[in-house]
Amino acid sequence: MSSPRPVDVARLLLGITALAAPDALLTIAGSEAGTGPQRVVRILGARYVAQSVAGLALHRPWVPKLDAAVDLVHAASMLGLALWFPEHRRAGLLSAAAAAGFSLSDLAGRAR
Protein backbone atom coordinates (compact mmCIF):
# COMPACT_ATOMS: atom_id res chain seq x y z
CA MET A 1 0.00 0.00 0.00
CA SER A 2 1.38 3.39 -0.94
CA SER A 3 1.60 6.29 1.45
CA PRO A 4 -1.06 9.01 1.18
CA ARG A 5 -0.35 11.93 -1.08
CA PRO A 6 0.33 15.05 1.01
CA VAL A 7 -2.13 17.05 -1.11
CA ASP A 8 -4.93 14.64 -0.17
CA VAL A 9 -4.10 15.06 3.52
CA ALA A 10 -4.01 18.85 3.14
CA ARG A 11 -7.40 18.84 1.36
CA LEU A 12 -8.84 16.64 4.09
CA LEU A 13 -7.61 18.96 6.85
CA LEU A 14 -8.95 22.05 5.10
CA GLY A 15 -12.25 20.30 4.43
CA ILE A 16 -12.67 19.22 8.04
CA THR A 17 -11.83 22.75 9.20
CA ALA A 18 -14.38 24.22 6.78
CA LEU A 19 -17.06 21.84 8.02
CA ALA A 20 -16.29 22.25 11.72
CA ALA A 21 -15.34 25.92 11.93
CA PRO A 22 -16.56 27.90 8.93
CA ASP A 23 -16.58 31.14 10.95
CA ALA A 24 -12.86 30.80 11.63
CA LEU A 25 -12.11 30.55 7.90
CA LEU A 26 -14.46 33.44 7.15
CA THR A 27 -12.70 35.57 9.78
CA ILE A 28 -9.29 34.75 8.31
CA ALA A 29 -10.66 35.69 4.90
CA GLY A 30 -12.07 38.95 6.20
CA SER A 31 -15.67 38.04 5.35
CA GLU A 32 -18.73 38.49 7.49
CA ALA A 33 -19.97 35.32 9.09
CA GLY A 34 -23.60 34.58 8.40
CA THR A 35 -25.84 31.73 7.39
CA GLY A 36 -25.17 32.11 3.64
CA PRO A 37 -21.37 32.36 3.80
CA GLN A 38 -21.21 29.58 6.41
CA ARG A 39 -23.25 27.33 4.13
CA VAL A 40 -20.94 28.04 1.19
CA VAL A 41 -17.84 27.30 3.27
CA ARG A 42 -19.37 24.04 4.55
CA ILE A 43 -20.32 22.94 1.02
CA LEU A 44 -16.76 23.63 -0.10
CA GLY A 45 -15.50 21.72 2.94
CA ALA A 46 -17.67 18.73 2.08
CA ARG A 47 -16.31 18.78 -1.47
CA TYR A 48 -12.73 18.88 -0.18
CA VAL A 49 -13.40 15.97 2.21
CA ALA A 50 -15.03 13.88 -0.53
CA GLN A 51 -12.23 14.69 -2.98
CA SER A 52 -9.51 13.83 -0.47
CA VAL A 53 -11.19 10.58 0.63
CA ALA A 54 -11.49 9.54 -3.01
CA GLY A 55 -7.85 10.44 -3.57
CA LEU A 56 -6.80 8.45 -0.51
CA ALA A 57 -8.90 5.42 -1.52
CA LEU A 58 -8.31 5.34 -5.28
CA HIS A 59 -4.77 4.66 -6.33
CA ARG A 60 -5.24 5.23 -10.05
CA PRO A 61 -2.94 7.22 -12.32
CA TRP A 62 -5.81 9.48 -13.48
CA VAL A 63 -6.80 10.68 -9.99
CA PRO A 64 -4.20 13.48 -9.65
CA LYS A 65 -5.09 14.81 -13.10
CA LEU A 66 -8.80 14.85 -12.27
CA ASP A 67 -8.11 16.44 -8.88
CA ALA A 68 -6.05 19.15 -10.56
CA ALA A 69 -8.83 19.86 -13.06
CA VAL A 70 -11.46 20.11 -10.30
CA ASP A 71 -9.29 22.54 -8.35
CA LEU A 72 -8.51 24.64 -11.43
CA VAL A 73 -12.25 25.02 -12.09
CA HIS A 74 -12.72 25.97 -8.45
CA ALA A 75 -9.89 28.53 -8.62
CA ALA A 76 -11.40 30.09 -11.75
CA SER A 77 -14.83 30.31 -10.13
CA MET A 78 -13.34 32.00 -7.07
CA LEU A 79 -11.59 34.56 -9.26
CA GLY A 80 -15.01 35.32 -10.75
CA LEU A 81 -16.47 35.66 -7.27
CA ALA A 82 -13.66 38.06 -6.30
CA LEU A 83 -14.35 40.16 -9.37
CA TRP A 84 -18.13 40.31 -9.11
CA PHE A 85 -18.51 40.49 -5.32
CA PRO A 86 -15.97 42.96 -3.94
CA GLU A 87 -17.19 42.39 -0.38
CA HIS A 88 -15.92 38.79 -0.70
CA ARG A 89 -12.80 39.59 -2.73
CA ARG A 90 -10.28 38.50 -0.11
CA ALA A 91 -12.16 35.25 0.58
CA GLY A 92 -12.40 34.51 -3.14
CA LEU A 93 -8.72 35.19 -3.73
CA LEU A 94 -7.64 33.07 -0.76
CA SER A 95 -9.88 30.22 -1.88
CA ALA A 96 -8.54 30.52 -5.44
CA ALA A 97 -4.96 30.46 -4.15
CA ALA A 98 -5.61 27.34 -2.06
CA ALA A 99 -7.26 25.55 -4.99
CA ALA A 100 -4.46 26.59 -7.37
CA GLY A 101 -1.90 25.34 -4.85
CA PHE A 102 -3.67 21.99 -4.57
CA SER A 103 -3.81 21.76 -8.36
CA LEU A 104 -0.12 22.55 -8.74
CA SER A 105 0.71 19.98 -6.09
CA ASP A 106 -1.32 17.35 -7.95
CA LEU A 107 0.42 18.15 -11.23
CA ALA A 108 3.88 18.25 -9.65
CA GLY A 109 3.23 14.88 -7.99
CA ARG A 110 2.25 13.41 -11.36
CA ALA A 111 5.51 14.59 -12.88
CA ARG A 112 7.59 12.57 -10.38
Side-chain angles (χ1 to χ4, degrees), residues 11-89:
R11 269 192 201 101
L12 182 62
L13 293 174
L14 181 57
I16 289 170
T17 302
L19 287 168
D23 288 342
L25 293 179
L26 288 165
T27 299
I28 291 168
S31 289
E32 298 269 333
T35 304
Q38 287 173 339
R39 189 172 293 133
V40 170
V41 171
R42 283 192 172 119
I43 290 168
L44 175 60
R47 197 265 296 164
Y48 274 140
V49 168
Q51 186 177 355
S52 64
V53 168
L56 291 166
L58 299 173
H59 301 285
R60 303 287 190 272
W62 49 264
V63 170
K65 190 174 180 179
L66 179 61
D67 282 345
V70 167
D71 282 319
L72 285 175
V73 169
H74 174 77
S77 71
M78 290 298 101
L79 291 175
L81 177 129
L83 178 65
W84 291 103
F85 298 97
E87 66 275 17
H88 299 292
R89 181 166 288 138

